[in-house]
Amino acid sequence: MTTPAVQAPRGPVTRKDVARYAGVSTAVVSYVVNGGPKKVAPATEAKVQDAIRRLGYRPNAAARALKLGSSETIGLVIPDNSNPFFSLLAHAVEDAAAELGYALLLTNSDGDLAKELRHVRNLAARQVDGVILSSVLMEPGLADLESAEIPVVLLNHSADAPGFKSVGVDLVGGAKSAVEHLIGHGHTSIALAMGTNTGNSYDGREEGWLQALAGAGLPEGPIVRTAFTREGGYAAGKRLLASASRPTAIFATSDLQAVGILRALHEAGLSIPNDIALASFDGSAEAEYSWPPLTTVKQPAKAMADAAVSALIGAHRGRESEHLIFPAELQIRQSCGCP
C-alpha cells in the first residue's frame, strides 16, 4: 500500500495544517510540540510527528516566546572562544542550558570592554531569559540588563561582585600549588608570564606566585606582562631568554601562553624541563598534547558552567546573590621535570 502524496499548504505550514493532516485538534499538536502540559497517546503522537515531518512544520519561536513569556534562550559573553579553555567553557554552558530546554547565543568580546557592552545591549534587546558574562572587568556595567530585568551571572569571576551571582575558580590557590611544585624541583628563580586584562589590575594568579615564593623564602623572579595568547607567550619567552638573569623555571598564567613559550624555548635549542621548566594554568587539551606535555592547573569548566546555568535558570534561580569559588587541580606532566 502506497502512502498518499502530501499536498503542501500554500505559504508557511501552520499548526492548523498539521492538525488537519493528522486528524487531531491544534491543542493536541501543541502538546506534542511542547511536550505537554497534557499527555498524548503514543499512537496519536506518532500521527502528529508524521504530519510534522511530511509537511515540514517548524514551530514559530517568536510566537512561542510571546505566549510563554520566555524566549527559552540565554546569552553568553566570553573573551575569546578560539582560546581552548573558553571554548571548553562555552560548550559546557551550552550543554547545561540544553538540558533545561534553553538555546544559547554565544558572543565574543575579544577582551574589549566596548565590544562587551555592545554584546550585553544586543542580548538585552533580544529579551533573552538571562545572561552569563565572563567580563573583562571585576565590576562590569550591567545597567542595560538591570533596566530590562534580565538576570545575570558572572562566570570565570574570581572576585566577589556584591549584588550579583558569580562563579569562579581559586586562582590564588591554583597558581600557588603550581609554583610550589616548581620549587619542589629545586628551582629558585621562577619567572611569571602574566596575562593582561582590560581594566583589571589584580589577578589572583600573580598573588599565588608571590605567596609561593615568599613561603619558600625566595626572591621574586622576573615578570613579563603579555596577552593571554600563543603570540603573547612566544614574546614573553623570547624576552625572558634575553634577560641577563635567565630564570630556570617559568609559570605561565594560561596554557596558550605556555604553548608560545614552548616554541621560544625550542627555537633557542633549549631542553624542557632540563634547561628551563614550565608550568601553566587552565587545563585545556593544548596542555596535554603539547611537547613536552604541560604541567598545568586545571579549571573545572563543567562544574563552573553547571553552577552558572543553575544560578541563572536552574534549581538555584531566584536565590540571593552568592559567590561560588571552585578549587583548581594541579595536573602533573613532564614540563615541570616529573617523569
Side-chain angles (χ1 to χ4, degrees):
M1 180 177 178
T2 58
T3 303
V6 178
Q7 184 176 358
R10 295 180 179 179
V13 178
T14 67
R15 193 169 297 180
K16 287 183 179 179
D17 296 322
V18 175
R20 189 179 303 114
Y21 185 89
V24 299
S25 68
T26 54
V28 170
V29 176
S30 177
Y31 300 152
V32 171
V33 169
N34 298 320
K38 292 185 178 181
K39 292 184 178 180
V40 177
T44 302
E45 181 177 358
K47 287 198 300 182
V48 173
Q49 293 288 8
D50 182 63
I52 289 172
R53 180 177 58 81
R54 291 179 179 278
L55 296 177
Y57 172 64
R58 295 292 182 270
N60 187 320
R64 174 179 168 82
L66 186 63
K67 182 177 180 179
L68 297 177
S70 166
S71 65
E72 295 183 318
T73 303
I74 65 172
L76 173 63
V77 184
I78 57 176
D80 180 12
N81 74 338
S82 68
N83 181 315
F85 169 69
F86 283 111
S87 177
L88 182 66
L89 193 63
H91 199 155
V93 170
E94 183 178 18
D95 287 345
E99 288 182 5
L100 298 175
Y102 283 72
L104 182 72
L105 286 177
L106 171 65
T107 62
N108 289 273
S109 69
D110 296 321
D112 180 84
L113 180 57
K115 283 187 178 181
E116 178 182 300
L117 292 173
R118 186 164 65 248
H119 288 317
V120 167
R121 292 191 193 101
N122 287 339
L123 290 170
R126 291 176 181 272
Q127 296 182 311
V128 294
D129 291 298
V131 171
I132 295 176
L133 171 63
S134 180
S135 179
V136 301
L137 295 177
M138 286 293 185
E139 298 183 8
L142 300 171
D144 292 284
L145 296 177
E146 290 176 322
S147 62
E149 297 184 340
I150 295 173
V152 62
V153 173
L154 304 178
L155 179 59
N156 198 41
H157 204 79
S158 60
D160 190 8
F164 295 100
K165 296 178 180 178
S166 53
V167 177
V169 71
D170 182 4
L171 297 177
V172 175
K176 185 178 179 182
S177 68
V179 178
E180 286 177 339
H181 186 76
L182 291 172
I183 294 171
H185 279 285
H187 295 285
T188 57
S189 176
I190 302 173
L192 175 67
M194 183 67 237
T196 55
N197 275 325
T198 303
N200 287 340
S201 57
Y202 172 82
D203 191 297
R205 283 164 286 200
E206 182 172 346
E207 179 64 28
W209 172 74
L210 288 170
Q211 287 186 13
L213 294 177
L218 296 176
E220 295 178 17
I223 302 178
V224 176
R225 301 186 188 278
T226 184
F228 281 106
T229 61
R230 300 175 186 87
E231 295 81 4
Y234 180 66
K238 292 179 76 68
R239 284 175 58 186
L240 288 170
L241 291 179
S243 90
S245 53
R246 193 176 81 184
T248 62
I250 303 171
F251 173 58
T253 51
S254 77
D255 290 343
L256 282 192
Q257 289 175 308
V259 168
I261 291 170
L262 281 175
R263 176 180 171 182
L265 299 181
H266 286 310
E267 285 182 354
L270 297 175
S271 170
I272 307 107
N274 295 329
D275 294 320
I276 294 185
L278 180 62
S280 58
F281 202 101
D282 277 343
S284 67
E286 294 230 354
E288 185 176 1
Y289 289 97
S290 63
W291 188 255
L294 288 166
T295 290
T296 183
V297 179
K298 183 177 182 180
Q299 300 197 61
K302 184 180 185 307
M304 292 164 63
D306 288 346
V309 170
S310 179
L312 190 69
I313 57 175
H316 294 168
R317 182 178 188 173
R319 286 191 180 182
E320 293 295 322
S321 59
E322 58 183 346
H323 181 51
L324 298 177
I325 286 291
F326 287 85
E329 176 190 0
L330 182 64
Q331 294 188 321
I332 298 174
R333 298 195 180 100
Q334 295 174 12
S335 67
C336 62
C338 288

